[in-house]
Amino acid sequence: MSFLHRITSCILCALLLAAVGGCAITAPFLHLKPDYTDLPADALRAVAEEIEAAVQRGDREPEIADRDGVAVSSERVKQAIRMRAARAEILNDFRDTGYARESRNGLIKLLHSKEYKQNTTKRDRDRYAMVVYNENNDRWAIYEGIVEDSNYASRVLPAVQETFFAARLEHLRDGQKYEDESGALAVKGR
């Protein structure tokens, strides 16, 4: 067996094990341009706005219906909304510290800095890391749930992420950070 064949076999085996084990393999360095082809963009924006508004209200049982081909009524999507609503106040308080930002990929990111380490305890950093980790997992459950439950091609996932990011920006408090169109750090209200 050639060296190249062994490497290819190992990679395929790892991918198969990850798929069987339920792992999501992502390439964070790969940013696909959002594809809105065959996607009901208006319905998706409306659903994203309703979900983000419910999360910010702390509404753990919002009545958000499927519409125009956008499916949000699966148990995994509902559970992710419940969990996000339950942690919304904690997440907002953390975003208020200035040590996190909303990224254009629809996820929240910790901003590790010298000040962050100096102004927080290890326990605080562990707690914040867990909040961000769980928040991002629930956001992925919503994005992937919508794509899969609506029977969309996986290529629309970046469009779903971007749509939710835009809806979330409307609910950020003044002073909270986000990634602008150029990728730079921006602050709401400034």
Side-chain angles (χ1 to χ4, degrees), residues 109-145:
K109 181 180 178 185
L110 281 168
L111 297 175
H112 297 283
S113 65
K114 190 175 182 178
E115 292 90 21
Y116 177 64
K117 191 164 184 174
Q118 289 175 341
N119 295 329
T120 57
T121 65
K122 177 161 178 13
R123 183 176 176 160
D124 289 337
R125 291 189 299 277
D126 289 347
R127 185 172 54 105
Y128 293 145
M130 187 58 72
V131 167
V132 168
Y133 175 80
N134 288 327
E135 177 69 13
N136 285 338
N137 278 342
D138 288 331
R139 289 180 184 186
W140 270 117
I142 293 169
Y143 304 154
E144 290 175 337

Side-chain angles (χ1 to χ4, degrees), residues 12-25:
L12 289 173
C13 184
L15 290 172
L16 179 62
L17 286 173
V20 169
C23 295
I25 298 176

Side-chain angles (χ1 to χ4, degrees), residues 45-158:
R45 272 192 292 278
V47 164
E49 172 55 36
E50 283 185 52
I51 289 173
E52 292 306 317
V55 166
Q56 288 304 307
R57 286 191 314 268
D59 184 352
R60 297 182 193 185
E61 296 296 332
E63 296 294 324
I64 302 172
D66 296 347
R67 74 183 69 155
D68 298 330
V70 180
V72 293
S73 60
S74 70
E75 189 52 39
R76 71 174 158 178
V77 172
K78 288 180 180 180
Q79 179 63 22
I81 294 169
R82 281 192 285 272
M83 296 306 296
R84 289 191 58 219
R87 86 171 64 82
E89 187 176 335
I90 294 168
L91 187 62
N92 269 319
D93 290 345
F94 178 54
R95 280 192 296 230
D96 286 343
T97 67
Y99 300 128
R101 80 159 189 213
E102 288 295 333
S103 296
R104 296 195 69 76
N105 66 0
L107 302 175
I108 189 161
K109 181 180 178 185
L110 281 168
L111 297 175
H112 297 283
S113 65
K114 190 175 182 178
E115 292 90 21
Y116 177 64
K117 191 164 184 174
Q118 289 175 341
N119 295 329
T120 57
T121 65
K122 177 161 178 13
R123 183 176 176 160
D124 289 337
R125 291 189 299 277
D126 289 347
R127 185 172 54 105
Y128 293 145
M130 187 58 72
V131 167
V132 168
Y133 175 80
N134 288 327
E135 177 69 13
N136 285 338
N137 278 342
D138 288 331
R139 289 180 184 186
W140 270 117
I142 293 169
Y143 304 154
E144 290 175 337
I146 289 172
V147 170
E148 292 169 13
D149 299 341
S150 303
N151 295 313
Y152 297 141
S154 60
R155 66 180 159 69
V156 304
L157 184 60

Side-chain angles (χ1 to χ4, degrees), residues 101 104 178-186:
R101 80 159 189 213
R104 296 195 69 76
Y178 64 97
E179 179 182 6
D180 71 11
E181 289 183 19
S182 70
L185 189 65

